[in-house]
Amino acid sequence: MQIAVISGSPKGEMSVTLQYVRFLEEAFPEHTFSVVHAGRDIRSIERQEEAWEGLLATVTASDGVLWATPVYVMLVPAQLKRFIELVGERNATDAFSGKYAACLTTSIRYFDHTAHAYLHGICDDLEMRYVGFCSAHMEDLRNEVFQEQLVLFFSDFLEATAERRPVQRAFPPLPAPSSPYARKTPPAAVDTRGKRVVILHDAEPGSGLAAMVDGLAACYGSSARVAHIRDAGMKGACLGCCRCALDNTCVYDDGFRAFWEEYVVPADILVMAGTVRDRFLSAAWKQFFDRSFFNGHIPAFKGKQVAYLVDGPLGHLATLREVLTGLAVMEGANLAGIVTGEPGSEIDAALHALAERSVRLSERGYVAPVTFPAVAGHKVFRDEIWGGMRAIFKADDRYYRQHGLYDFPTRDYARRIGVRATSLVMTIPSVRRDVVKNMPSHMIQPLKKAIESSRVLAERKAER
């Protein structure tokens, strides 16, 4: 079979993900693998018709397509995102329609599921037959057990392609674009109480998003600073070189760091506004998110109120909502809200409510307790940095040490002693019977004591 491999890595032949593809080439020598470097060659693909046509010819001639890409900031790299946009912009979907497809990713398995869901949705939109995915840790290829898993994954993909296995669509088509938003009522200005408000966007003049940005800015009065992300002067997307790992300095010498320091760092309330392109925001926004990785794994929005304006069918894009939410909470911020430009959503009122709420929460210093994605994400970062990445990610290691983020339970010696003592006592049959019998009571006793001794409750009672 002819397998077209669409490589999303900007590193070309030096890609970690591509080494997994090379392993598959060795494991399946009877099949032909043709690699298209969509990530590395995105500029020439955009500008040179010959490069574009050659890529489409490779896909057209293939029996199946393997998307092979690293995961950058919860999704595919901006370069691959831009390639996917070009397929739609240039009406090139026929080259992909009917092809069997699978995806192979490498990462530290942090939000890899959102990258897979995005590619699955794209394959459905291109009318491809999506078979499945293989998620690899960057070091997994060194493990023979994983090598066997990789062979089985690809064998299933080949069998599906050869058998023309029926595949059902998982992601419904997106609705047709609605009429652009236009404000119906004059905005009422909100007292920002000295809070610094920044709205970043990629809106085109006269677009619905531009109207949403203007409407929200008007709600904040003269306090909001509004900037287009093109003003960051980014020369290119993240290269995955990890030069920033040592001291949070990007290899690019352009205006992005200065833009970040001017707008993002001082903001108390940060609003990011974008239009849906395929199943995510634009490649320009993805490039912005990827380039923010110069901060490493240090929470860059810590203590801020973060909000989003989304022009497009967000209600049909659970993965996009999950990524936007994850970006806020994983960076230490509070998600103040998301306003969408979808029909019937009372946009004027929603924009005003967002302005009021973001100021109120910022004044109170509120950051919501984290849920599973942030808890699990922190543990992934903590374990990966401590377990080996700290040799290179020096800046992360310093931050994690200074802020007590290496919070392994095994280092909590008092807890270890307590757990051990409880375990020993629980070996006594009479004690074990009593604990089992009265388990609910045992569980709530420390919580009842916390209520009785609460300083917060005492202060609130005194205020009344």
Side-chain angles (χ1 to χ4, degrees):
M1 289 185 190
Q2 295 280 344
I3 306 299
V5 178
I6 301 179
S7 172
S9 173
K11 293 186 284 190
E13 293 296 332
M14 301 304 293
S15 162
V16 169
T17 318
L18 201 59
Q19 307 317 304
Y20 289 73
V21 175
R22 298 307 182 204
F23 175 87
L24 291 175
E25 287 185 276
E26 294 290 333
F28 298 90
E30 66 275 22
H31 301 286
T32 302
F33 293 72
S34 300
V35 178
V36 173
H37 288 286
R40 184 193 66 187
D41 300 336
I42 187 59
R43 289 190 175 181
S44 60
I45 291 169
E46 281 186 300
R47 299 170 184 174
Q48 299 174 16
E49 184 176 356
E50 182 180 356
W52 174 251
E53 293 298 332
L55 185 155
L56 291 185
T58 299
V59 173
T60 301
S62 69
D63 298 295
V65 174
L66 178 66
W67 301 84
T69 180
V71 176
Y72 285 7
V73 191
M74 308 182 184
L75 209 79
V76 303
Q79 296 92 328
L80 182 56
K81 173 68 171 67
R82 179 57 187 147
F83 166 75
I84 292 169
E85 289 181 359
L86 288 174
V87 173
E89 291 173 9
R90 297 177 177 179
N91 298 314
T93 57
D94 286 349
F96 297 82
S97 179
K99 302 290 184 186
Y100 279 77
C103 76
L104 168 62
T105 64
T106 56
S107 64
I108 57 172
R109 294 202 179 94
Y110 168 78
F111 276 83
D112 53 347
H113 67 292
T114 48
H116 300 152
Y118 169 75
L119 284 173
H120 191 164
I122 293 300
C123 287
D124 281 355
D125 291 342
L126 294 175
E127 298 183 349
M128 305 179 80
R129 293 179 170 89
Y130 184 86
V131 176
F133 65 85
C134 181
S135 178
H137 189 282
M138 295 174 64
E139 300 289 335
D140 274 347
L141 197 58
R142 300 167 62 182
N143 185 303
E144 286 192 356
V145 172
F146 177 83
Q147 290 177 11
E148 292 174 351
Q149 291 177 313
L150 183 58
V151 167
L152 292 174
F153 152 75
F154 200 71
S155 295
D156 181 62
F157 171 56
L158 293 174
E159 289 163 3
T161 305
E163 298 165 1
R164 308 300 294 172
R165 183 186 302 165
V167 176
Q168 291 184 317
R169 179 168 188 148
F171 293 84
L174 298 178
S178 57
S179 300
Y181 160 74
R183 174 167 282 277
K184 298 177 181 178
T185 59
V190 171
D191 181 1
T192 58
R193 301 179 178 89
K195 296 300 179 182
R196 293 163 293 188
V197 181
V198 172
I199 304 175
L200 303 181
H201 68 93
D202 68 343
E204 297 295 330
S207 66
L209 183 65
M212 292 174 70
V213 169
D214 291 344
L216 183 62
C219 291
Y220 286 117
S222 59
S223 300
R225 298 187 67 196
V226 180
H228 198 294
I229 59 174
R230 66 164 171 257
D231 295 337
M234 291 179 281
K235 293 180 179 178
C238 178
L239 299 174
C241 64
C242 292
R243 166 64 181 82
C244 57
L246 299 173
D247 56 6
N248 298 137
T249 301
C250 183
V251 69
Y252 279 109
D253 181 17
D254 57 16
F256 183 74
R257 180 65 179 265
F259 184 90
W260 185 274
E261 296 288 341
E262 180 179 358
Y263 290 100
V264 176
V265 172
D268 298 306
I269 300 169
L270 177 64
V271 181
M272 292 174 278
T275 301
V276 172
R277 310 286 186 194
D278 56 64
R279 289 181 172 268
F280 196 72
L281 302 184
S282 68
W285 261 120
K286 188 60 177 62
Q287 179 169 288
F288 187 94
F289 295 146
D290 290 357
R291 286 289 302 274
S292 72
F293 188 68
F294 79 86
N295 290 294
H297 303 90
I298 298 171
F301 299 156
K302 190 173 179 63
K304 300 181 188 296
Q305 298 296 319
V306 166
Y308 299 97
L309 304 182
V310 178
D311 188 19
L314 181 63
H316 299 261
L317 295 168
T319 300
L320 172 57
R321 183 179 288 274
E322 182 175 6
V323 171
L324 296 181
T325 302
L327 282 170
V329 300
M330 281 305 301
E331 294 295 342
N334 182 63
L335 180 60
I338 303 176
V339 175
T340 172
E342 293 169 288
S345 54
E346 300 182 9
I347 303 170
D348 289 357
L351 291 172
H352 190 267
L354 175 62
E356 280 192 324
R357 184 171 191 259
S358 62
V359 171
R360 184 167 60 248
L361 295 179
S362 181
E363 190 176 38
R364 295 173 180 173
Y366 178 73
V367 176
V370 295
T371 55
F372 171 76
V375 174
H378 162 67
K379 293 182 184 296
V380 168
F381 284 165
R382 180 198 67 185
D383 292 357
E384 290 288 341
I385 294 169
W386 176 264
M389 288 171 59
R390 60 193 169 117
I392 302 297
F393 283 79
K394 298 289 189 182
D396 286 347
D397 184 46
R398 286 192 296 271
Y399 184 89
Y400 271 53
R401 288 179 185 276
Q402 292 167 2
H403 292 81
L405 296 180
Y406 289 134
D407 53 346
F408 303 96
T410 54
R411 290 176 172 271
D412 187 342
Y413 294 104
R415 184 179 180 185
R416 287 173 61 181
I417 293 171
V419 169
R420 182 59 177 164
T422 302
S423 297
L424 290 172
V425 171
M426 285 289 289
T427 62
I428 302 173
S430 60
V431 172
R432 186 167 61 250
R433 284 194 299 270
D434 179 70
V435 169
V436 171
K437 180 181 178 181
N438 298 290
M439 182 66 73
S441 175
H442 287 302
M443 292 173 68
I444 67 172
Q445 278 179 5
L447 306 180
K448 293 174 70 174
K449 290 180 181 178
I451 294 172
E452 294 167 359
S453 61
S454 170
R455 176 186 57 80
V456 173
L457 289 179
E459 290 177 353
R460 288 186 65 82
K461 289 178 181 178
E463 290 173 358
R464 292 196 293 266

